[in-house]
Amino acid sequence: MGILSDDVVIIRQSEKEGDPSVITINCPDKTGLGCDLCRILLFFGLNVIRGDVSTDGKWCYLVFWVIGKPNTRWNLLKMRLVEASPSFSWAFGISRCYLPDSELLSSKLPDLFLLKLACSDRTGLLYDVTEVLYKLEISIEKVKISTTPDGKVMDLFFVTDTRELLGTGKRRDEVYEYLRDAIGDSLMSYDIELVGPEITVRSQASASFAETLFSSDVSGEHPSGLNTSNCVSITVDNSLSPAHTLIQISCQDHKGLLYDIMRTFKDFNIQISYGRFTIKRGRNFEMDLFIVQSDGRKILDSSKQTALISRLRAELQQPLRVVMMNRGPDTELLVTNPVELSGKGRPQVFHDIAFALKKLNTCIFSAEIGRHVMGDREWEVYKVLINEEDSLPVSRSKIKEQVWNTLMGWD
């Protein structure tokens, strides 16, 4: 007997713009559920200002206070949250909680499509395209964009469809109509085709910039990226609870902060039994979490504690890395973020990069998305060739700052 979706996720929208809406989720528990839910909240652009999490290991109860936008699609958000909960699988007789992650991934791989666009170039074109794909719930997995000397742009997007309808003519027509309205007369040709299994989105990015991006300590002043703040406090206490380890986190808030924390716990296979967090005095984030290892025990091993604290600190100080580099006569913007062990990248990064450059009236000459393995981690790397240096409308430092602030949600 399945659980009704109306009981799994309840959204109480605020009556006044700017006031928080309340999202309540009541469903069976699984390791990593908080990460999956927070990833959806990040995808929909919600600002989470407060939360409570409680579970007995079998059933969980989560409450999020969020600030939405005038265009937030609440009904669609509810649908995606329900689908992410174990209750959705139970309703169809699938014991999802008992499947290994590898089986889940192999059984849920979405079809990959190639979207080809030919357009006349103009400022903000790439942002307009990514905004359309975002609204239609089409995820960009890989991209190759190039501009010809005569001002023509060829965009190749490898995409997946959250609604799993891109193989139908109706869905392709819908995408075309939205793109035509957004691009206008600049649109010259459009095509979508299903690509074969020989095409992979896990292509390796060039290692030529690896030293610049990955060699430095995130706490130092180094050109490998900006920091959210050096005021990150993380403490571990095993004395307050006989069964749980208490993790206390205090730091500066940024876009996707809750996802960064939950992703780290998911990658470490840590279960959250109870937690509470809030945003105080603007950007000050405070969180208390009672956690256990996958075996249900406290984290007593000092080496495990050190590894967890080190990873959390790195994620909170530098969730993404933003670098400006010389690429011959041109200027290249590099943005990179860690990938979940499940293979999922951070949502909406490319969208935010394009938005930041559009606000600066900066044209994108070419762009690529790749992946780079460094140590035991995989990183998603965005390479954007923006213009020849002498024609940049603003300074490199201004571009870097604007991209960083947009990614952090500070503008």
Side-chain angles (χ1 to χ4, degrees):
M1 190 72 180
I3 303 170
L4 296 178
S5 63
D6 288 342
D7 297 326
V8 174
V9 177
I10 299 174
I11 299 179
R12 189 172 74 247
Q13 297 181 37
S14 62
E15 297 181 357
K16 182 180 178 181
E17 185 176 348
D19 287 347
S21 299
V22 182
I23 302 174
T24 303
I25 303 170
N26 188 16
C27 67
D29 194 17
K30 69 168 185 174
T31 302
L33 176 61
C35 172
D36 298 341
L37 297 176
C38 290
R39 189 178 191 276
I40 294 173
L41 298 179
L42 176 57
F43 178 87
F44 277 81
L46 299 178
N47 181 22
V48 185
I49 61 172
R50 180 183 165 195
D52 282 284
V53 179
S54 179
T55 177
D56 60 4
K58 296 181 179 179
W59 203 268
C60 66
Y61 183 74
L62 306 95
V63 184
F64 297 104
W65 284 261
V66 303
I67 303 296
K69 300 178 179 179
N71 61 347
T72 298
R73 298 162 291 174
W74 295 105
N75 290 334
L76 185 59
L77 170 64
K78 177 176 180 177
M79 183 186 307
R80 296 298 171 239
L81 291 172
V82 170
E83 291 174 352
S85 71
S87 302
F88 181 73
S89 297
W90 284 21
F92 291 92
I94 303 173
S95 298
R96 178 177 177 178
C97 294
Y98 301 99
L99 286 176
D101 287 344
S102 59
E103 292 184 27
L104 283 174
L105 290 172
S106 62
S107 63
K108 294 290 291 181
L109 284 177
D111 289 333
L112 188 65
F113 293 85
L114 174 59
L115 167 62
K116 293 185 284 189
L117 295 173
C119 313
S120 299
D121 193 22
R122 62 172 172 79
T123 302
L125 174 63
L126 184 58
Y127 169 75
D128 292 340
V129 175
T130 57
E131 178 73 3
V132 166
L133 298 181
Y134 160 69
K135 290 179 179 178
L136 294 174
E137 291 190 287
I138 294 176
S139 300
I140 301 172
E141 307 293 341
K142 183 179 176 182
V143 65
K144 174 67 176 178
I145 297 170
S146 56
T147 305
T148 62
D150 60 351
K152 302 295 188 300
V153 178
M154 174 57 70
D155 296 343
L156 302 177
F157 295 94
F158 290 89
V159 299
T160 56
D161 185 6
T162 301
R163 303 178 192 176
E164 299 182 351
L165 295 173
L166 205 49
T168 66
K170 181 178 180 181
R171 177 67 161 161
R172 297 184 186 193
D173 290 343
E174 178 187 29
V175 175
Y176 171 73
E177 294 296 333
Y178 273 80
L179 288 172
R180 186 184 62 182
D181 290 343
I183 299 175
D185 295 337
S186 297
L187 180 60
M188 300 167 58
S189 66
Y190 158 91
D191 184 52
I192 296 180
E193 63 182 57
L194 179 67
V195 297
E198 68 276 3
I199 303 296
T200 175
V201 299
R202 301 289 189 264
S203 62
Q204 289 293 311
S206 171
S208 61
F209 53 84
E211 183 177 353
T212 303
L213 284 172
F214 302 112
S215 62
S216 69
D217 188 323
V218 296
S219 62
E221 294 294 331
H222 191 278
S224 67
L226 302 170
N227 292 340
T228 57
S229 170
N230 287 328
C231 300
V232 175
S233 173
I234 305 172
T235 60
V236 178
D237 193 327
N238 279 307
S239 65
L240 292 180
S241 170
H244 299 88
T245 295
L246 170 63
I247 295 281
Q248 294 180 301
I249 300 173
S250 176
C251 64
Q252 186 178 25
D253 186 33
H254 65 258
K255 181 179 179 179
L257 168 61
L258 195 57
Y259 168 70
D260 293 327
I261 295 173
M262 295 300 178
R263 183 188 70 243
T264 301
F265 285 128
K266 181 180 180 181
D267 286 352
F268 275 73
N269 203 23
I270 288 175
Q271 299 173 350
I272 300 172
S273 298
Y274 176 76
R276 175 172 292 179
F277 62 89
T278 186
I279 308 295
K280 297 181 178 179
R281 299 180 298 277
R283 292 183 184 173
N284 297 319
F285 175 90
E286 296 181 4
M287 169 180 275
D288 295 333
L289 293 176
F290 288 88
I291 63 175
V292 293
Q293 301 176 107
S294 58
D295 59 5
R297 298 180 180 181
K298 300 166 68 171
I299 307 176
L300 298 174
D301 188 307
S302 60
S303 62
K304 292 182 179 180
Q305 292 181 18
T306 300
L308 177 60
I309 292 175
S310 177
R311 176 65 64 84
L312 280 171
R313 188 179 302 278
E315 299 293 350
L316 299 183
Q317 288 185 336
Q318 203 172 53
L320 301 101
R321 304 189 181 205
V322 180
V323 178
M324 301 291 291
M325 296 181 64
N326 289 324
R327 189 61 64 195
D330 301 315
T331 299
E332 187 171 59
L333 169 70
L334 296 173
V335 178
T336 184
N337 58 267
V339 176
E340 292 180 36
L341 290 182
S342 65
K344 294 180 180 178
R346 190 184 191 90
Q348 301 307 312
V349 174
F350 196 58
H351 172 273
D352 289 348
I353 294 171
F355 182 43
L357 295 179
K358 179 181 180 179
K359 287 191 289 187
L360 293 175
N361 198 33
T362 301
C363 291
I364 296 175
F365 182 76
S366 68
E368 294 183 35
I369 301 177
R371 295 211 172 178
H372 180 82
V373 176
M374 187 68 180
D376 61 348
R377 305 195 70 186
E378 185 176 29
W379 300 75
E380 208 158 39
V381 180
Y382 301 81
K383 300 169 59 179
V384 180
L385 198 63
I386 49 180
N387 252 329
E388 293 189 0
E389 185 175 3
D390 58 3
S391 63
L392 287 176
V394 293
S395 66
R396 289 186 177 187
S397 60
K398 179 64 176 178
I399 293 175
K400 183 177 178 179
E401 179 183 4
Q402 181 64 65
V403 171
W404 172 257
N405 287 338
T406 302
L407 291 167
M408 294 297 99
W410 293 345
D411 54 354

